[in-house]
Amino acid sequence: MLIRTFSITLLSALILIGCKESVTNKNLETQTEDSVTHSTKDQRPFQKMLSSQKISYEVSAMGSGSIQQLIVQPTGLTEINDKITLEIDGQVINAEIADLNSDGYPELLVYTTSAGSGSYGNVIGFSPNNGKSLSQIYFPNVADNSKANSGYMGHDEFGVVDNTLVQKFPIYKKGDINSNPRGGIRQIQYKLKDGEASRKFVLDKIVELSNKE
């Protein structure tokens, strides 16, 4: 009888130890999954989903330094929906979609800014080819345009207004410090045009605004 009681007690202890180990292992698995999830989120300083006219773009950026990876995952294109990954110099600050050439398919515009006090902006655009696949849009550097670069020192802002891409930046006069431009605001409007190899943004209009506007 004593041996039987001892066996039952030993069996109960082993079951209790097994349950504790199971709970501990489960907690460790949960913590590991949480760590992976947080690690993945920490590596994506920007993430946004955009949809229009049955086409969607999931836009994200990975990395925390001055060089990041831009990742674009399209869905809804009729032939090629492959993920696009680009190394970019700067940080993604926003993304939006608009049908800039009125062909029934939304373009994707990703806005980036460089590291440092200048915060020079750039646009990385993609345009659907008749809804079948994506091609990158060429965006000209305003610093290379003699009509637009006078007094230009970065601090760009981008947005779509009435299906037109608009770039705005402060104008610096000679002697202005980085934090205090005195020349007003320059606004540049771009139209999306078909090029020989791909679509491109073409400067359409330059407007000078006062600091109050």
Side-chain angles (χ1 to χ4, degrees), residues 89-161:
D89 183 3
Q91 299 179 338
V92 177
I93 57 173
N94 198 14
E96 60 181 334
I97 55 176
D99 186 2
L100 299 177
N101 57 356
S102 302
D103 65 350
Y105 305 104
E107 276 70 37
L108 169 66
L109 304 177
V110 181
Y111 308 135
T112 70
T113 185
S114 66
S117 59
S119 301
Y120 289 93
N122 188 30
V123 177
I124 302 173
F126 299 92
S127 183
N129 303 308
N130 199 28
K132 298 178 180 179
S133 60
L134 281 185
S135 291
Q136 191 169 344
I137 305 169
Y138 170 75
F139 179 74
N141 188 339
V142 70
D144 298 330
N145 190 312
S146 59
K147 295 181 180 180
N149 64 11
S150 176
Y152 174 68
M153 291 180 61
H155 302 284
D156 306 274
E157 296 180 11
F158 296 96
V160 175
V161 179

Side-chain angles (χ1 to χ4, degrees), residues 17-186:
I17 292 171
C19 289
K20 287 183 177 180
E21 288 180 349
S22 176
V23 171
T24 302
N25 290 337
K26 188 172 182 181
N27 288 338
L28 286 173
E29 289 174 2
T30 302
Q31 291 173 7
T32 302
E33 289 175 0
D34 287 344
S35 298
V36 171
T37 301
H38 288 307
S39 176
T40 302
K41 287 181 179 179
D42 292 343
Q43 292 178 351
R44 293 180 183 263
F46 181 88
Q47 193 161 15
K48 192 172 186 179
M49 176 68 79
L50 299 159
S51 299
S52 179
Q53 300 164 356
K54 299 182 180 180
I55 294 178
S56 299
Y57 303 105
E58 182 181 359
V59 183
S60 60
M62 295 188 67
S64 57
S66 60
I67 303 296
Q68 293 189 353
Q69 274 194 329
L70 170 65
I71 303 167
V72 176
Q73 177 61 70
T75 56
L77 300 170
T78 57
E79 292 186 3
I80 300 176
N81 287 281
D82 293 347
K83 182 185 295 183
I84 299 171
T85 302
L86 298 174
E87 185 176 86
I88 60 173
D89 183 3
Q91 299 179 338
V92 177
I93 57 173
N94 198 14
E96 60 181 334
I97 55 176
D99 186 2
L100 299 177
N101 57 356
S102 302
D103 65 350
Y105 305 104
E107 276 70 37
L108 169 66
L109 304 177
V110 181
Y111 308 135
T112 70
T113 185
S114 66
S117 59
S119 301
Y120 289 93
N122 188 30
V123 177
I124 302 173
F126 299 92
S127 183
N129 303 308
N130 199 28
K132 298 178 180 179
S133 60
L134 281 185
S135 291
Q136 191 169 344
I137 305 169
Y138 170 75
F139 179 74
N141 188 339
V142 70
D144 298 330
N145 190 312
S146 59
K147 295 181 180 180
N149 64 11
S150 176
Y152 174 68
M153 291 180 61
H155 302 284
D156 306 274
E157 296 180 11
F158 296 96
V160 175
V161 179
D162 296 330
N163 282 346
T164 298
L165 175 62
V166 175
Q167 177 181 15
K168 293 171 64 175
F169 54 84
I171 304 170
Y172 287 80
K173 293 182 177 181
K174 187 176 180 179
D176 284 354
I177 60 175
N178 190 275
S179 60
N180 186 31
R182 298 173 298 156
I185 301 293
R186 182 169 296 135

